[in-house]
Amino acid sequence: VLKNEGDGDSQIKPLPEDASGPRENRLLARLPQHEYDRLAPLLTEVSFGFKESLFESGQRLDSVYFPVSGVFSFLAELSGKKRVAVYLGGNEGLVGLPVLLGIDRSPVRALAQAPGRAWRMNVDDLNEEVKRGGALKDLLFQHAGHILTRLVQSVACAGSHPLDKRCCRWLLMLHDRVRESQFQLTQVDLAEMLGARRASVTEIAGALQKAGLIHYTRGRITILDRKALENAACECYRLDRL
Ligand SMILES: [Zn+2]
């Protein structure tokens, strides 16, 4: 929900207007002013509700998104309607990164795992900017490199680390991006993130709740003891930390 102008609280909260701007995205925040000024008119603000889709698998990538809030989940879709979350993104990055590497159709389904806002840019405009070879290009390639590193780690993680430790890692990744202690997360979502059976996830969530790390009820999760969750997560979380 966008704030109305002149709603009287600007003295109490002097930041909202700025805070909802494109610079809340950490990539755009790092652009030199002159580059940002050139790009800003090309950006359009959009918002996404819970579970709203940004891209379907195989969909042509006409736009990219610079998130400023929310959590975006990237799901690989397998036969038999099986889906596995491969990555989570937030305001640290860009949704639609494959276009940078010449891939024009989305290899994954991207959806809002927590409601959020983003600034949309047309792919042609992005390509034009990348051709200029300025700071945005460097930042995007750096970001692509980080994601590649994390994906490699995730493959190793999924194949070797115990489910309960991976579960703690994903909960922390979500928590970092939602930036609120409570968020919406069904056990089906969590099972998709972990590529696990729902029954196993129910058992793990129950154990974490019993140990006082989280509170889990009716599709909402509250992080109660973040430090303990970090200690319980597998080593891979160190790479994911924002
Ligand atoms: Zn791991």
Side-chain angles (χ1 to χ4, degrees), residues 55-64 96-108 123-124 127:
F55 303 121
E56 298 300 327
S57 296
Q59 185 182 327
R60 179 171 281 281
L61 296 163
D62 296 321
S63 307
V64 295
L97 207 55
V99 295
L100 196 68
L101 308 168
I103 297 166
D104 63 356
R105 290 188 183 272
S106 181
V108 290
V123 162
D124 294 336
N127 285 336

Side-chain angles (χ1 to χ4, degrees), residues 153-154 156-158 160-161 165-166 169 233-237:
Q153 186 79 21
S154 279
C157 181
S160 56
H161 290 154
K165 287 181 171 292
R166 289 201 289 127
R169 173 192 174 207
C234 64
E235 61 189 284
C236 306
Y237 174 62

Side-chain angles (χ1 to χ4, degrees), residues 37 59 62 81 93 110 120 129 202 210 235:
D37 289 344
Q59 185 182 327
D62 296 321
K81 293 194 172 176
R120 182 175 61 206
E129 191 56 36
T202 304
K210 205 171 169 197
E235 61 189 284

Side-chain angles (χ1 to χ4, degrees), residues 3-212:
K3 275 200 167 289
N4 290 326
E5 277 181 18
D7 57 0
D9 67 354
S10 59
Q11 283 180 320
I12 308 165
K13 297 176 193 164
L15 282 177
E17 198 187 330
D18 222 23
S20 67
R23 293 277 213 182
E24 271 289 285
N25 175 277
R26 297 203 211 173
L27 292 172
L28 296 177
R30 289 163 65 194
L31 286 179
Q33 191 64 41
H34 69 278
E35 235 183 82
Y36 176 73
D37 289 344
R38 189 175 62 231
L39 290 176
L42 306 173
L43 299 167
T44 310
E45 189 175 21
V46 287
S47 62
F48 294 98
F50 181 59
K51 290 295 176 90
E52 196 173 331
S53 170
L54 284 76
F55 303 121
E56 298 300 327
S57 296
Q59 185 182 327
R60 179 171 281 281
L61 296 163
D62 296 321
S63 307
V64 295
Y65 299 89
F66 293 93
V68 290
S69 63
V71 184
F72 299 91
S73 178
F74 302 92
L75 301 152
E77 297 188 302
L78 307 172
S79 58
K81 293 194 172 176
K82 193 171 163 61
R83 298 188 308 200
V84 181
V86 290
Y87 191 68
L88 290 177
N91 78 335
E92 78 280 11
L94 176 81
V95 180
L97 207 55
V99 295
L100 196 68
L101 308 168
I103 297 166
D104 63 356
R105 290 188 183 272
S106 181
V108 290
R109 179 164 192 239
L111 58 82
Q113 185 61 55
R117 289 175 303 103
W119 291 80
R120 182 175 61 206
M121 186 188 257
N122 186 292
V123 162
D124 294 336
D125 290 336
L126 181 81
N127 285 336
E128 199 61 35
E129 191 56 36
V130 167
K131 260 190 235 159
R132 286 174 183 264
L136 185 67
K137 182 190 174 187
D138 291 345
L139 287 168
L140 290 176
F141 274 96
Q142 258 176 37
H143 180 56
H146 285 147
I147 290 195
L148 192 58
T149 308
R150 288 169 182 180
L151 286 175
V152 167
Q153 186 79 21
S154 279
V155 173
C157 181
S160 56
H161 290 154
L163 192 58
D164 57 335
K165 287 181 171 292
R166 289 201 289 127
C167 182
C168 294
R169 173 192 174 207
W170 279 82
L171 290 176
L172 288 164
M173 285 166 66
L174 274 164
H175 190 216
D176 287 340
R177 290 167 175 85
V178 176
R179 291 175 281 170
E180 282 171 28
S181 64
Q182 193 186 81
F183 48 90
Q184 210 169 338
L185 185 71
T186 67
Q187 299 208 351
V188 172
D189 294 333
L190 193 52
E192 270 179 10
M193 284 176 191
L194 298 166
R197 288 182 310 119
R198 195 179 155 181
S200 315
V201 168
T202 304
E203 198 178 307
I204 288 169
L208 291 174
Q209 177 150 263
K210 205 171 169 197

